[in-house]
């Protein structure tokens, strides 16, 4: 059985300093870290809060992705793919179920299709010129409606390898919107060819 919230907190504090600050993560010493270890300080560890606050869209009536179920660059009866605007890496896409479902709510047939879609979207992103890798993320702490992220990692940028990529994305200047929209359209067209569904207009660039 997993540790209780209080047990987990006490376990973590055992290695913290007098200000409840944990040691720096090993990741901060990697050569792909966007930060220099000497200037970093870990935030104080806060005690657990129970019950946890509700995520956005726990009530489907208040769920924005449900209201946007027909928006994106590609969709079929069950899924839609949208372009995320205003990012720093070459392309960020997000896959949503069109109905109000989280990952653990998916019936087996949609779970199976999610696997196929994830593979095919990643394949099409990696086929773009000057893109080396498609990173795939699912978190789920902020919203109750399943959303899967696809980050395009630019070729040759060794510092952007691995798990720091979303942080670098926040630090980099905004990528040219017209280039990202054209690449998103290529991915959507390729997905129609490989998986079916329909194309729709790319997301408008951020103002």
């Amino acid at each position: 059985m997993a540790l209780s919230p209080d047990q987990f907190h006490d376990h973590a504090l055992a290695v913290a300093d007098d200000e409840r600050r944990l040691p720096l993560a090993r990741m901060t010493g990697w050569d792909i870290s966007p930060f220099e270890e000497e200037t970093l300080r870990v935030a104080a560890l806060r005690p657990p809060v129970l019950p946890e606050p509700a995520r956005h869209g726990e009530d489907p009536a208040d769920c924005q992705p449900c209201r946007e179920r027909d928006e994106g660059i590609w969709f079929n009866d069950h899924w839609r793919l949208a372009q995320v605007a205003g990012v720093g890496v070459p392309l960020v896409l997000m896959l949503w179920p069109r109905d109000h479902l989280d990952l653990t709510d998916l019936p087996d047939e949609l779970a199976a299709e999610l696997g196929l879609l994830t593979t095919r979207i990643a394949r099409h992103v990696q086929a773009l010129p000057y893109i080396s890798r498609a990173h795939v993320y699912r978190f789920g702490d902020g919203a109750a409606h399943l959303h899967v992220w696809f980050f395009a990692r630019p070729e040759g940028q060794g510092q952007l390898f691995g798990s720091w990529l979303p942080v670098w994305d926040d630090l980099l200047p905004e990528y040219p919107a017209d280039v990202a929209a054209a690449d998103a359209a290529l991915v959507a067209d390729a997905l129609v060819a490989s998986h079916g569904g329909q194309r729709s207009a790319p997301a408008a660039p951020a103002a």
Side-chain angles (χ1 to χ4, degrees), residues 14-186:
V15 298
D17 64 16
D18 292 341
E19 295 182 322
R20 295 181 289 115
R21 299 181 190 277
L22 297 170
L24 286 174
R26 293 183 298 275
M27 292 172 59
T28 60
W30 295 353
D31 63 1
I32 60 172
S33 171
F35 307 111
E36 296 178 351
E37 283 187 290
E38 294 76 12
T39 58
L40 288 176
R41 187 170 71 157
V42 178
L45 186 65
R46 296 190 291 264
V49 175
L50 296 171
E52 292 189 359
R55 299 177 298 171
H56 171 77
E58 293 284 6
D59 180 353
D62 298 325
C63 178
Q64 183 174 349
C66 286
R67 294 192 292 271
E68 298 173 348
R69 70 187 312 272
D70 296 325
E71 298 180 17
I73 61 170
W74 172 92
F75 60 94
N76 68 9
D77 290 343
H78 304 295
W79 300 92
R80 68 182 179 96
L81 184 67
Q83 180 191 352
V84 179
V87 300
V89 297
L91 186 64
V92 177
L93 302 174
M94 190 176 291
L95 181 68
W96 311 79
R98 296 180 74 192
D99 294 332
H100 191 75
L101 297 165
D102 204 348
L103 182 64
T104 53
D105 302 326
L106 293 177
D108 287 350
E109 60 272 19
L110 289 190
E113 188 178 19
L114 175 60
L116 282 172
L117 279 169
T118 299
T119 300
R120 288 167 175 166
I121 294 167
R123 182 182 298 144
H124 301 326
V125 170
Q126 289 186 186
L128 295 170
Y130 306 120
I131 301 301
S132 284
R133 208 81 61 226
H135 290 205
V136 182
Y137 304 96
R138 182 265 175 179
F139 303 106
D141 281 332
H145 195 127
L146 172 63
H147 50 293
V148 180
W149 299 80
F150 296 82
F151 279 69
R153 200 264 291 162
E155 185 178 31
Q157 299 294 325
Q159 281 185 283
L160 275 60
F161 282 14
S163 49
W164 280 113
L165 183 62
V167 180
W168 279 109
D169 174 64
D170 269 348
L171 296 169
L172 290 164
E174 183 176 342
Y175 195 80
D178 57 339
V179 179
D183 281 344
L186 290 173

